[in-house]
């Protein structure tokens, strides 16, 4: 069976499963649409949260970013993993105890202000649409290769599928679909990693393989990779090149951005009890760790295999020739047809600039190979010459990761528009059926905007998602933290803080990435940032500081919150029935 047919069978079977689950779990009420009827088991919710959390950025793009960025990009792992711990410990149980459907609803009630709720909706939509752009980018990459269509066509196919099952099932359908998607994506990520770890190190456990010896050189695999990169003029893989300030701010931005992401927070509204929120957070961390412990090994080993493909006899020997690429086999009998396969997608390019018939890959201006970072995980099984069924499985896993998160984000956007704007402010008398229709229309508009912007994203999938985390860090996270842990912050302070944090962050991003992400309209680049060494992906932590500071100053210059609001904050933080401390 040829690879294309195998891809269609595996991807088609998983899609049929997702759509079938969405139909089976079709939402019939607003409670089922927004919060799955608050009846999801903690373990299943943990799996759904893992799928919601591990997006195209985690599955498709993160290993590619780390593969080419090395030590500097390890902040993606630290920030995203640490951020989830922050969310589970500091926010999830308290928000579940509050018992509302959405993040803006909590902010509106806690800060006793419809204006605060509206600003929270704007912040949520801004961060979520930016995040969906990254997911659509990943969908386009996966479909373009494995269905052998161009990137735009692949993106449109993926948008139509996620729209179908998200609109039909609501949160109930999305939750059980995401359980299936987690199973698919984690199997798809770990199986090729195990194969490749065995090939390169003889160790079947990828995280341990990363610190094992390379079977060819007898040296640790990271030392082998450092040597290969140095021979080609690249910086060492384990060397820090970025400034410590930017790496620190980037890690913080990803951490607090994680804790402010509405599509993850809303998952904790779907369980029956506060204790279930804590339990599902713990299970989710276990499920997330399976991928995040494997990703560094995937990144390093993929870079080794990529270099070995273009220098099969070692970096001191002749590079892969055009004739070998055309034949699909190198001079050692290894298949290299993946090079031509990925070239057709437009995500890999090579050009024999000096006309010597060889494709030289190096860090000089004469480099003849260009590789999009987003293809590394998906191309990894092909580069390593793994069986066709593994390649098809990775395709299904990449699509599961992208579509699961896109669905969760669309749900967050839809609930914010229909529940927090239309139901609460514009038309309070709207029927339940009308509210569901409004939510579905909001989903359609959001996915149309994200799909359009996904055709020309402001960066690789992981970079685009990092911008979304920065926006959430600067706007939503401080409001949630102050709403739960400070009785002094009032409505005026919360609104001023969210607006100032969002505005300074989004302006800084647009100055570097182009206004509304339109190419060519930027004034600075991340290589030459506006403020010190702070890149646009790291600025969310600065925006959060602005938010906290403005909210504190404005709140202390104005009236205290009403007594009932202060009592509400107290009741959220303290477990029901807790007594005073006893001296034993």
């Amino acid at each position: 069976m040829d690879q294309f047919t195998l891809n269609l069978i595996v991807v088609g079977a998983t899609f049929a499963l997702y759509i079938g689950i969405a139909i089976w779990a079709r939402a019939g009420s607003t409670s089922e649409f927004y919060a799955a009827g608050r009846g999801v088991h903690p373990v299943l919710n943990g799996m759904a949260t893992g799928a919601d959390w591990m997006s195209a950025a985690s599955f498709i793009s993160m290993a590619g970013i780390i593969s080419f960025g090395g030590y500097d990009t390890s902040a993606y792992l630290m920030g995203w993993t640490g951020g989830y711990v922050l969310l589970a410990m500091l926010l999830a149980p308290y928000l579940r105890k509050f018992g509302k459907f959405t993040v803006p609803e909590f902010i509106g009630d806690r800060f006793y202000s419809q204006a605060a709720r509206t600003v929270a909706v704007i912040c949520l939509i801004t961060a979520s649409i930016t995040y969906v752009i990254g997911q659509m980018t990943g969908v386009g990459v996966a479909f373009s290769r494995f269905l052998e269509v161009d990137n735009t066509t692949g993106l449109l196919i993926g948008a139509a599928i996620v729209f179908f099952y998200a609109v039909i099932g609501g949160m109930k359908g999305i939750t059980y679909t995401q359980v299936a998607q987690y199973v698919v994506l984690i199997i798809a990520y770990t199986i090729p990693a195990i194969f490749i770890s065995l090939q390169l190190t003889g160790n079947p456990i990828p995280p341990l393989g990363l610190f094992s010896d390379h079977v060819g050189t007898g040296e640790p695999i990271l030392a082998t990779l450092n040597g290969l990169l140095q021979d080609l003029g690249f910086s060492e893989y384990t060397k820090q090149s970025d400034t410590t300030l930017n790496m620190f701010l980037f890690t913080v931005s990803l951490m607090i951005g994680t804790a402010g992401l509405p599509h993850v927070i809303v998952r904790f509204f779907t369980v029956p009890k506060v204790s279930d929120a804590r339990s599902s957070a713990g299970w989710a961390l276990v499920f997330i760790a399976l991928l995040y412990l494997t990703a560094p090994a995937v990144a390093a080993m993929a870079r080794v295999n990529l270099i070995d493909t273009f220098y099969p006899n070692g970096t001191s020997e002749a590079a892969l020739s055009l004739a070998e690429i055309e034949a699909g086999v190198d001079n050692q009998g290894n298949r290299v047809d993946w090079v031509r396969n990925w070239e057709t997608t437009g995500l890999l390019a090579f050009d024999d600039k000096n006309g010597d018939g060889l494709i030289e890959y190096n860090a000089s201006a004469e480099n003849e190979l260009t590789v999009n970072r987003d293809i590394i995980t998906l191309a990894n099984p092909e580069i390593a010459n793994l069986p066709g069924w593994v390649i098809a499985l990775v395709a299904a896993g990449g699509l599961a990761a992208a579509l699961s998160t896109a669905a969760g984000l669309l749900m967050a956007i839809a609930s914010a528009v229909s529940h927090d704007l239309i139901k609460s402010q514009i038309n309070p008398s709207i029927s339940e059926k009308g509210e569901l229709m409004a939510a579905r229309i909001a989903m359609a508009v959001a996915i149309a905007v994200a799909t359009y912007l996904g055709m020309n994203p402001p960066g690789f999938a992981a970079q685009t998602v990092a911008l979304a985390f920065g926006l959430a860090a600067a706007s939503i996270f401080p409001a949630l933290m102050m709403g739960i842990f400070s009785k002094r912050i009032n409505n005026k302070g919360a609104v001023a803080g969210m607006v100032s944090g969002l505005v300074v962050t989004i302006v800084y991003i647009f100055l570097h990435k182009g206004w509304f992400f339109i190419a060519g309209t930027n004034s600075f680049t991340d290589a030459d940032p506006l403020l010190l060494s702070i890149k646009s992906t790291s600025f969310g932590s600065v925006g959060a500081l602005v938010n906290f500071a403005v909210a504190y100053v404005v709140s202390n210059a104005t009236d205290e919150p009403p007594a009932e609001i202060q009592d509400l904050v107290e009741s959220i933080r303290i477990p029901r029935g807790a007594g005073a401390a006893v001296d034993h």
Side-chain angles (χ1 to χ4, degrees), residues 15 18-19 22 132 135-136 139 143 154-170 173-174 177-178 181 399-411 440 443-444 446-448 450-451:
F15 278 11
Y18 306 151
I19 293 171
V132 178
Q135 305 316 301
M136 292 296 103
V139 169
F143 269 119
L155 200 157
L156 293 174
I157 293 171
I161 291 171
V162 72
F163 171 74
F164 179 81
Y165 75 74
V167 166
I168 284 182
I174 287 171
T177 300
Q178 285 174 335
Q181 287 169 328
L399 291 168
L403 297 179
S404 63
T405 303
L409 290 163
L410 290 171
M411 189 67 246
R440 286 164 173 150
M443 274 190 181
I447 200 166
T451 301

Side-chain angles (χ1 to χ4, degrees), residues 317-330:
E317 303 297 327
L320 190 70
S321 69
L322 283 172
E324 289 171 306
I325 292 174
E326 291 301 328
V329 181
D330 67 17

Side-chain angles (χ1 to χ4, degrees), residues 54-69 73 76-77 80 134-135 137-139 141-142 189 291-292 295 298-299 372-379 397-398 401-402 457 459-466:
M54 291 184 291
S55 63
S58 292
F59 189 103
I60 295 176
S61 190
M62 182 174 65
I65 289 283
I66 297 172
S67 185
F68 283 82
T73 47
Y76 281 96
L77 289 166
W80 280 338
Q135 305 316 301
T137 303
V139 169
V141 170
Y189 202 83
L291 188 145
Y292 270 61
V298 171
N372 185 300
R373 311 300 193 254
D374 287 344
I375 77 169
I376 290 300
T377 299
L378 297 176
F460 303 117
Q463 291 172 323
T464 304
V465 167

Side-chain angles (χ1 to χ4, degrees), residues 231-234 311 353 360-369:
D231 289 347
L232 298 174
F234 293 103
Y311 293 94
K353 296 177 182 178
E360 276 115 14
Y361 172 51
N362 53 56
S364 72
E366 286 72 42
N367 174 51
E368 297 174 340
L369 177 69

Side-chain angles (χ1 to χ4, degrees), residues 276-530:
D276 292 334
R278 292 186 185 275
S279 178
S280 64
W283 279 109
L285 196 56
V286 171
F287 294 132
I288 289 168
L290 293 177
L291 188 145
Y292 270 61
L293 289 172
T294 305
V298 171
M301 294 175 189
R303 192 72 183 276
V304 170
N305 280 333
L306 178 69
I307 295 171
D308 284 345
T309 295
F310 285 88
Y311 293 94
N313 299 307
T315 53
S316 61
E317 303 297 327
L320 190 70
S321 69
L322 283 172
E324 289 171 306
I325 292 174
E326 291 301 328
V329 181
D330 67 17
N331 57 20
Q332 294 185 339
N334 298 314
R335 291 178 56 194
V336 293
D337 51 349
W338 69 268
V339 177
R340 186 60 81 182
N341 292 338
W342 278 100
E343 188 206 18
T344 60
T345 68
L347 300 169
L348 180 147
F350 52 87
D351 179 21
D352 183 17
K353 296 177 182 178
N354 57 15
D356 65 354
L358 305 175
I359 301 300
E360 276 115 14
Y361 172 51
N362 53 56
S364 72
E366 286 72 42
N367 174 51
E368 297 174 340
L369 177 69
T370 304
V371 182
N372 185 300
R373 311 300 193 254
D374 287 344
I375 77 169
I376 290 300
T377 299
L378 297 176
N380 207 13
E382 295 178 89
I383 299 172
N385 286 300
L386 297 185
W389 65 269
V390 179
I391 296 169
L393 187 61
V394 169
L399 291 168
L403 297 179
S404 63
T405 303
L409 290 163
L410 290 171
M411 189 67 246
I413 294 169
S415 59
V417 172
S418 62
H419 189 68
D420 294 303
L421 281 184
I422 297 175
K423 175 71 174 178
S424 71
Q425 299 181 58
I426 298 173
N427 184 13
S429 62
I430 190 173
S431 66
E432 189 168 281
K433 183 178 179 180
E435 189 178 348
L436 288 175
M437 180 56 69
R440 286 164 173 150
I441 291 172
M443 274 190 181
V445 173
I447 200 166
V449 171
T451 301
Y452 174 76
L453 293 174
M455 294 177 186
N456 293 287
F460 303 117
Q463 291 172 323
T464 304
V465 167
L467 297 176
F469 277 69
L471 293 169
S475 58
I476 298 173
F477 173 77
L480 294 176
M481 285 293 292
M482 292 184 290
I484 293 170
F485 295 103
S486 174
K487 293 188 285 188
R488 183 61 184 86
I489 304 300
N490 62 20
N491 53 356
K492 296 181 180 66
V495 170
M498 285 189 288
V499 170
S500 57
L502 179 66
V503 169
V504 297
T505 304
I506 203 166
V507 167
Y508 195 84
I509 288 172
F510 284 164
L511 284 171
H512 290 77
K513 296 297 184 181
W515 291 91
F516 301 100
F517 300 134
I518 298 173
T521 60
N522 58 302
S523 302
F524 305 91
T525 67
D526 280 332
D528 185 22
L530 168 63

